[in-house]
Amino acid sequence: MRDEERVGATREALSELPRQGRFITFEGGEGAGKSTQISRLKDRLNAAGISAIVTREPGGSPTAETIRELLLSGKVKPLGAEMEAVMFAAARADHVDEKIRPALASGDWVLCDRFADSTRVYQGEAGVDPAFLDRLEAVAVGGYRPDMTVLIDVSPDVGLSRVAARSGASGSSSDPDRFETDTKEVHMRRRQLFLDLAASEPSRFAVIDGGTSADAVANEIWQAVRARFPVDLGHAGPAAPDARRDRIGG
Ligand code: T5A
């Protein structure tokens, strides 16, 4: 057995450990509203009596946050997309080991801003061989898959204008990160790749139109989560909007 297969096998075994909580990832292009919606979902879960943690990729653990700085600064861009994929995978492996798996084992739900689908889309779009990405994923996280993935779909025009408005409003002079500066065509291809992934795994993905108001998007996501986890959330299916609002306070 090769080293990578041995490590992958170990991680595969770890992925069989019991999960008490649910693992929900959020995906989408820049400025889709993932952070905004993760925060809202956490509030709704807490109101329903469920403990949830929020985390993100790249990052989420001290070592992975260090790798994040390198990746988003563009300092490692000269290494090429394949080696960037390796670094995203290394950060993910640490993040799963140090934060995600322990949280799920203790019963917390984990709401994660981006996960392995982002590598498939961003590094895949940049030309990295899908078979190589499969092997990397096996080494990094074994069979560790989200229970549900919320894809917030917005046009690149909308997403990037939100990111620009946010920078302007905060008065920050922060430059766009390494991936925000790509051309509109690249952003459009990523959007299509996310939609293709969702179509290939409809039981895991919920595709949500992110072009409406933050309140409307939050309601759509809550309905999708309730439909996906009816037992955890104590009902047999999605409730009518008015009844839902009464029970969960908005
Ligand atoms: N990456 C990541 C890879 O290439 N490979 C990988 O494997 C991984 C994991 C991460 C970058 O790394 C790449 C992808 C990324 O380019 P990041 O800084 O974490 O970088 O970037 P994003 O995940 O894209 O985060 P953003 O903050 O840019 O986008 P969000 O979280 O989707 O958007 P959010 O919620 O911060 O909202 C943006 C703005 O829009 C407003 C918000 O108030 C905010 O100002 N907004 C809305 N406005 C109107 N209507 C709505 N419905 C709104 N929702 C939010």
Side-chain angles (χ1 to χ4, degrees), residues 158-190:
V158 169
L160 292 171
S161 69
R162 285 179 187 168
V163 171
R166 178 179 57 192
S167 302
S170 69
S172 80
S173 56
S174 64
D175 293 328
D177 73 37
R178 145 125 184 59
F179 296 94
E180 286 168 3
T181 53
D182 288 320
T183 64
K184 185 173 164 188
E185 288 66 35
V186 169
H187 288 288
M188 287 170 67
R189 281 199 296 275
R190 288 177 188 151

Side-chain angles (χ1 to χ4, degrees), residues 26-38 40 56-59 68 71-72 84-85 87-89 92 113-123 152 154 158-167 169 177-182 187 190 194 209-218:
F26 282 67
E27 298 282 1
E30 321 296 316
K34 300 178 301 301
S35 314
T36 304
Q37 294 303 329
I38 284 175
R40 287 175 178 235
R56 68 172 180 183
E57 291 210 348
R68 176 188 174 92
L71 283 163
L72 297 197
E84 285 184 311
M87 292 183 70
F88 278 112
R92 183 161 303 126
D113 194 338
R114 299 191 181 279
F115 195 64
D117 296 309
S118 279
T119 305
R120 295 190 169 280
V121 166
Y122 280 73
Q123 282 60 58
I152 304 182
V154 294
V158 169
L160 292 171
S161 69
R162 285 179 187 168
V163 171
R166 178 179 57 192
S167 302
D177 73 37
R178 145 125 184 59
F179 296 94
E180 286 168 3
T181 53
D182 288 320
H187 288 288
R190 288 177 188 151
F194 272 126
D209 176 5
T212 58
S213 72
D215 284 348
V217 176

Side-chain angles (χ1 to χ4, degrees), residues 27-217:
E27 298 282 1
E30 321 296 316
K34 300 178 301 301
S35 314
T36 304
Q37 294 303 329
I38 284 175
S39 163
R40 287 175 178 235
L41 178 58
K42 180 179 190 294
D43 290 346
R44 288 193 166 186
L45 288 170
N46 289 164
I50 289 176
S51 171
I53 66 155
V54 169
T55 190
R56 68 172 180 183
E57 291 210 348
S61 61
T63 303
E65 288 289 332
T66 302
I67 298 174
R68 176 188 174 92
E69 281 174 34
L70 288 170
L71 283 163
L72 297 197
S73 67
K75 282 180 186 152
V76 295
K77 187 177 179 183
L79 296 178
E82 207 168 60
M83 289 304 113
E84 285 184 311
V86 170
M87 292 183 70
F88 278 112
R92 183 161 303 126
D94 190 66
H95 184 207
V96 169
D97 287 348
E98 296 299 318
K99 191 163 189 180
I100 295 176
R101 187 181 290 119
L104 292 172
S106 76
D108 284 343
W109 287 35
V110 174
L111 310 180
C112 187
D113 194 338
R114 299 191 181 279
F115 195 64
D117 296 309
S118 279
T119 305
R120 295 190 169 280
V121 166
Y122 280 73
Q123 282 60 58
E125 190 283 331
V128 181
D129 179 5
F132 179 74
L133 294 177
D134 283 347
R135 290 208 303 280
L136 265 187
E137 191 173 319
V139 170
V141 299
Y144 223 73
R145 308 281 289 165
D147 297 305
M148 176 181 188
T149 297
V150 176
L151 171 58
I152 304 182
D153 178 53
V154 294
S155 73
D157 282 343
V158 169
L160 292 171
S161 69
R162 285 179 187 168
V163 171
R166 178 179 57 192
S167 302
S170 69
S172 80
S173 56
S174 64
D175 293 328
D177 73 37
R178 145 125 184 59
F179 296 94
E180 286 168 3
T181 53
D182 288 320
T183 64
K184 185 173 164 188
E185 288 66 35
V186 169
H187 288 288
M188 287 170 67
R189 281 199 296 275
R190 288 177 188 151
R191 181 190 193 187
Q192 189 56 51
L193 286 169
F194 272 126
L195 290 170
D196 292 347
L197 268 183
S200 73
E201 272 190 81
S203 61
R204 175 164 67 92
F205 277 89
V207 182
I208 305 291
D209 176 5
T212 58
S213 72
D215 284 348
V217 176

